[in-house]
Amino acid sequence: MKTYIQLPALALFAVAALTLSLPASAETTLERIQRTGEVRVAYANEAPFAYTTASGKVTGESPEIAKIIFAKLGVPNVKPVLVEWGSLIPGLMAGRFDVIAAGMYVTPERIKQVLFTDPHYQLADTLLVAKGNPRKLRSYADIAANDKVRLAIMAGTSQYAYAIAAGIPDSRIMQVPTTTAQLQAVRTRRADAAVGTALTMKALAVKGGARVAATTDFADDVSHIGYGALAFRQDDQTLRDAVNGALQEWLGSPEHLATVAPFGFDRSNLTKKTVAEIAAQ
């Protein structure tokens, strides 16, 4: 014969209260974007990495990669969010968007703030100068050695640290919010040069016309080679891992190379560098 134990009413109330107080399992960002079919992707206007065309379309190497990878994860709608470069990481951490797809370099400092995928490209830097390069600038050292030279750098980029380390005083560095501002600084001679990725400076040279040019003989430290990746919040490791897995399977495929070719990228920009290796530098 079964024996039943009668619990006091107070005990039953306590058990019920405890059950109600247990937190429900929180929905992860990956679960949310797969449920809604939409992911918020931040970018800054910097061709060819991520930019808005004259017709209003958001494109570039990183947004086009993001569209394909998120579609593979069952998220067809990529909602672009335009942000100034210096506000990308703060905006991500504040929850204004879910991922940064702006060609952002992976650096040991940024690794402390956000989670990166393994890089989807590697790229060296160069200078934008006046046509003919009248100051004969071919390195950070050349700029540091001439106290009349001013250098335009987009605020928040790695090049600022490189310039300071090379001995260029802050008083001769012009920090500007966009690459367009860099171009205007050189065109109007408020700066003698601008520095950035080789693809960006070449694109600015085309946009700037006959008065400016991108150098082809910039001598830089090999440790300054940039490795670009998608970035996520520190607590979104599940999302980062899912994106990273799909991305690494796809990189180097014919579809990938065809996707990035219109933006000047090719097989030479492929890299096997990992986030772990960069973090250990």
Side-chain angles (χ1 to χ4, degrees):
M1 185 176 73
K2 294 181 180 179
T3 302
Y4 295 91
I5 299 174
Q6 183 84 23
L7 288 176
L10 185 59
L12 288 172
F13 176 79
V15 171
L18 178 61
T19 303
L20 290 174
S21 67
L22 292 175
S25 179
E27 184 179 47
T28 67
T29 303
L30 176 59
E31 290 169 340
R32 170 174 58 78
I33 66 173
Q34 288 181 324
R35 173 177 57 80
T36 63
E38 179 178 280
V39 60
R40 300 167 299 168
V41 174
Y43 71 104
N45 263 324
E46 183 183 3
F49 304 100
Y51 59 97
T52 306
T53 67
S55 64
K57 178 186 177 182
V58 176
T59 188
E61 184 260 2
S62 292
E64 295 303 330
I65 285 178
K67 292 173 189 175
I68 291 173
I69 296 303
F70 279 107
K72 290 178 180 293
L73 296 177
V75 186
N77 186 16
V78 171
K79 181 181 179 181
V81 182
L82 177 60
V83 182
E84 282 194 359
W85 182 269
S87 298
L88 284 168
I89 289 180
L92 177 69
M93 296 171 71
R96 291 182 53 202
F97 33 82
D98 306 306
V99 57
I100 296 172
M104 179 172 281
Y105 280 3
V106 182
T107 66
E109 295 76 19
R110 289 175 181 154
I111 288 172
K112 297 174 184 176
Q113 299 176 286
V114 298
L115 291 177
F116 284 102
T117 60
D118 289 320
H120 47 83
Y121 74 81
Q122 63 177 2
L123 192 62
D125 288 346
T126 199
L127 299 175
L128 181 75
V129 296
K131 193 73 172 181
N133 196 3
R135 296 283 195 183
K136 307 303 179 187
L137 304 174
R138 295 183 175 85
S139 66
Y140 284 113
D142 290 343
I143 297 170
N146 189 334
D147 60 12
K148 295 182 179 180
V149 171
R150 287 174 59 81
L151 178 65
I153 297 177
M154 191 164 72
T157 59
S158 302
Q159 287 81 16
Y160 177 79
Y162 300 157
I164 293 295
I168 302 172
D170 195 65
S171 60
R172 290 200 281 117
I173 296 175
M174 180 187 300
Q175 293 195 64
V176 296
T178 65
T179 56
T180 299
Q182 283 184 294
L183 171 59
Q184 288 303 105
V186 175
R187 289 188 65 186
T188 59
R189 302 299 186 264
R190 290 183 295 113
D192 300 281
V195 65
T197 68
L199 288 177
T200 298
M201 296 300 105
K202 288 177 183 178
L204 289 180
V206 172
K207 184 178 179 180
R211 297 170 61 184
V212 297
T215 60
T216 58
D217 54 357
F218 185 61
D220 199 6
D221 190 320
V222 294
S223 68
H224 294 173
I225 292 176
Y227 298 93
L230 305 177
F232 303 83
R233 283 182 289 277
Q234 290 280 6
D235 57 359
D236 276 340
Q237 184 168 345
T238 302
L239 175 59
R240 190 282 306 269
D241 290 350
V243 170
N244 197 42
L247 181 63
Q248 297 310 313
E249 288 183 4
W250 182 70
L251 290 176
S253 67
E255 183 186 29
H256 166 237
L257 295 174
T259 298
V260 301
F263 309 107
F265 292 82
D266 57 30
R267 189 171 291 278
S268 68
N269 299 115
L270 296 175
T271 179
K272 294 296 185 181
K273 199 84 166 182
T274 66
V275 172
E277 290 172 337
I278 297 171
Q281 291 177 354

